[in-house]
Amino acid sequence: MKVCITGSGLSSLALANALAKDGIYVDIFFLKQKQDKSRTISISKSNVDYFCKHIVDIKKILWKIKSIKIFSENLPDENLLSFENENEQLFSIVENYKLYEILIKKLDQTKYVKKIKKKIDYNIQNEYDLIINTDYSNILTKKFFNKKIKKKYNSFAYTSVIKHKKISNIIARQVFTKKGPLAFLPISPYKTSIVYSINQSKKLSQDTLLSLLNNYNDYYKIDQVEEFKLFNLMSMDLRNYYFKNILAFGELIHRIHPLAGQGFNMTIRDIKELTNIIKSKIELGLDLDVSVNKEFEKNTKSKNYIFSNGIDLIHEFFNLESKFNNDFLSKSVKLFGKSSFINKSLIQFADNGRLL
């Protein structure tokens, strides 16, 4: 049985390591990428546990978050929502480039993965029993996976890292400003990642971004702000997850708004589902063929669609409030957030993608 993965991102590297951990030989078509050091990933507690056990131990590069506080510019002096866990983390933050490096290093140490440093061609369809495609720009994607449900937000996400005076820094904060959600995501006692999703298509200057950051920062005594990087915001759900023996995977099948930090968490849950299907096939002596793809789509497509639309609903909810410049919605959220059941349900939803 010949399996390959196409793509050089975190999704492909994590999946390759997961398959190798299960003793499955895999080729990965891989061209090394330069990593943006301003980007971070949020990983829920249950996904951290799974990642460390079934993919690679990443405990040394994680920064644990034990509290989340959410604010609205329409209620500047009040805490809109709070989620806390005094005994263990709610989730963890990891810098993209550090995760990338540890995944590459692990692949170099295993005999189960062969890295092929070249672009693919159409012949790949006949060379492998199962092809897992995570690359959104290759020929397979362009030919077989171009039917999508897309939503363009006509806005940008700006990312940076601030260096500041040393603090315990275990609280993640999100401020729903009139321009969009601004997240402060701790990554060490003296460094915090910034993600500001601004609802306008015109690019902002570095000076303007610094001014906005200073306006909403009441938490850190900043020594330095790294240059802001930006990327277009959109949400996307692929209509069909597979074509014959080719399975689309990772951000190729779903992309969501970054306000809740759930994009990579969705991919980790997909990795868990796919590896379970593959292991079950092997244990039963069955071939790894299109049946793997059919089962994966059946088990994940509707769940991913519901989850991604749930994130979009949160975005539209607060976006609506900023348009009307009214605090009614924020006050309603604060009222509902006082319910312990709703609070626990939201924590459960963020942790494993399911409500209580």
Side-chain angles (χ1 to χ4, degrees):
M1 292 180 288
K2 298 187 69 177
V3 178
C4 83
I5 300 171
T6 71
S8 307
L10 295 177
S11 298
S12 60
L13 298 178
L15 178 58
N17 274 292
L19 293 173
K21 190 93 169 181
D22 291 331
I24 298 168
Y25 287 92
V26 59
D27 292 349
I28 179 169
F29 285 78
F30 171 86
L31 296 172
K32 197 167 184 178
Q33 297 178 336
K34 185 178 180 181
Q35 295 298 297
D36 181 354
K37 292 191 175 183
S38 71
R39 299 288 292 273
T40 57
I41 291 173
S42 302
I43 307 180
S44 69
K45 183 183 182 304
S46 62
N47 279 339
V48 165
D49 295 341
Y50 172 80
F51 208 98
C52 290
K53 183 176 181 180
H54 296 281
I55 300 178
V56 60
D57 191 340
I58 55 173
K59 294 188 187 76
K60 291 183 179 180
I61 62 171
L62 297 175
W63 188 255
K64 296 179 180 179
I65 304 299
K66 297 187 178 182
S67 176
I68 305 171
K69 296 187 182 297
I70 298 176
F71 304 87
S72 170
E73 186 172 359
N74 287 326
L75 293 174
D77 299 322
E78 301 181 49
N79 187 5
L80 202 62
L81 289 171
S82 292
F83 306 99
E84 296 181 349
N85 191 337
E86 295 181 358
N87 299 319
E88 50 188 333
Q89 80 268 28
L90 288 171
F91 66 98
S92 296
I93 303 292
V94 61
E95 293 171 270
N96 283 36
Y97 80 96
K98 289 183 178 179
L99 181 58
Y100 186 85
E101 290 172 355
I102 204 170
L103 288 169
I104 291 289
K105 183 178 179 180
K106 188 66 176 178
L107 287 183
D108 290 337
Q109 296 171 346
T110 179
K111 65 179 182 180
Y112 293 102
V113 176
K114 179 182 178 183
K115 290 192 291 186
I116 302 175
K117 298 182 180 180
K118 68 176 184 178
K119 293 183 178 180
I120 64 170
D121 55 40
Y122 284 121
N123 292 330
I124 195 174
Q125 295 174 256
N126 303 317
E127 295 173 2
Y128 293 92
D129 301 299
L130 183 62
I131 301 165
I132 305 165
N133 180 31
T134 72
D135 188 347
Y136 55 82
S137 62
N138 66 24
I139 56 176
L140 299 180
T141 301
K142 292 175 181 178
K143 184 171 183 178
F144 303 122
F145 302 111
N146 52 22
K147 294 182 179 180
K148 307 166 185 175
I149 302 171
K150 294 175 65 174
K151 178 177 180 178
K152 293 185 178 180
Y153 292 105
N154 294 316
S155 56
F156 294 101
Y158 296 86
T159 62
S160 180
V161 173
I162 61 173
K163 296 179 181 179
H164 48 76
K165 303 302 181 187
K166 185 177 180 180
I167 57 174
S168 61
N169 218 17
I170 58 173
I171 301 173
R173 296 175 173 87
Q174 179 128 271
V175 184
F176 285 94
T177 76
K178 293 176 182 179
K179 290 184 177 294
L182 169 61
F184 295 86
L185 305 170
I187 51 179
S188 82
Y190 54 89
K191 290 172 65 178
T192 297
S193 171
I194 303 297
V195 182
Y196 198 176
S197 303
I198 296 181
N199 299 321
Q200 66 181 62
S201 56
K202 182 181 178 181
K203 296 179 182 179
L204 301 182
S205 68
Q206 295 289 318
D207 288 342
T208 300
L209 291 166
L210 283 172
S211 177
L212 288 169
L213 173 62
N214 290 328
N215 186 46
Y216 296 112
N217 170 41
D218 294 326
Y219 327 111
Y220 304 102
K221 295 181 179 178
I222 298 176
D223 295 321
Q224 180 183 343
V225 181
E226 295 183 3
E227 180 183 0
F228 282 91
K229 305 293 178 62
L230 77 160
F231 58 93
N232 280 303
L233 287 177
M234 63 170 289
S235 65
M236 182 276 293
D237 291 281
L238 198 63
R239 289 186 179 274
N240 298 302
Y241 279 18
Y242 68 94
F243 175 81
K244 295 183 178 179
N245 65 330
I246 307 170
L247 177 68
F249 198 80
E251 282 198 347
L252 190 55
I253 59 176
H254 48 63
R255 292 181 65 179
I256 61 174
H257 196 285
L259 70 89
Q262 286 293 320
F264 196 60
N265 283 297
M266 293 178 71
T267 294
I268 295 174
R269 290 192 283 267
D270 287 344
I271 290 173
K272 182 178 181 180
E273 182 65 39
L274 181 58
T275 54
N276 284 340
I277 292 170
I278 291 174
K279 283 190 294 182
S280 177
K281 296 284 184 183
I282 292 174
E283 289 170 359
L284 293 171
L286 300 175
D287 292 334
L288 298 182
D289 53 19
V290 68
S291 64
V292 172
N293 302 343
K294 288 180 179 179
E295 189 171 345
F296 177 78
E297 182 181 84
K298 178 182 176 182
N299 293 352
T300 62
K301 186 177 179 181
S302 60
K303 294 177 183 177
N304 285 337
Y305 185 75
I306 292 170
F307 188 86
S308 61
N309 275 272
I311 300 300
D312 183 64
L313 183 63
I314 295 172
H315 168 263
E316 291 299 336
F317 180 88
F318 284 100
N319 194 35
L320 181 67
E321 181 182 59
S322 65
K323 287 179 180 179
F324 285 102
N325 196 26
N326 190 293
D327 64 5
F328 174 76
L329 294 179
S330 287
K331 289 181 177 179
S332 300
V333 170
K334 183 177 181 181
L335 180 63
F336 282 113
K338 291 180 179 180
S339 165
S340 60
F341 175 79
I342 291 176
N343 196 281
K344 289 179 181 178
S345 295
L346 291 174
I347 292 175
Q348 179 85 349
F349 182 68
D351 187 44
N352 57 31
R354 300 191 304 270
L355 292 171
L356 290 173

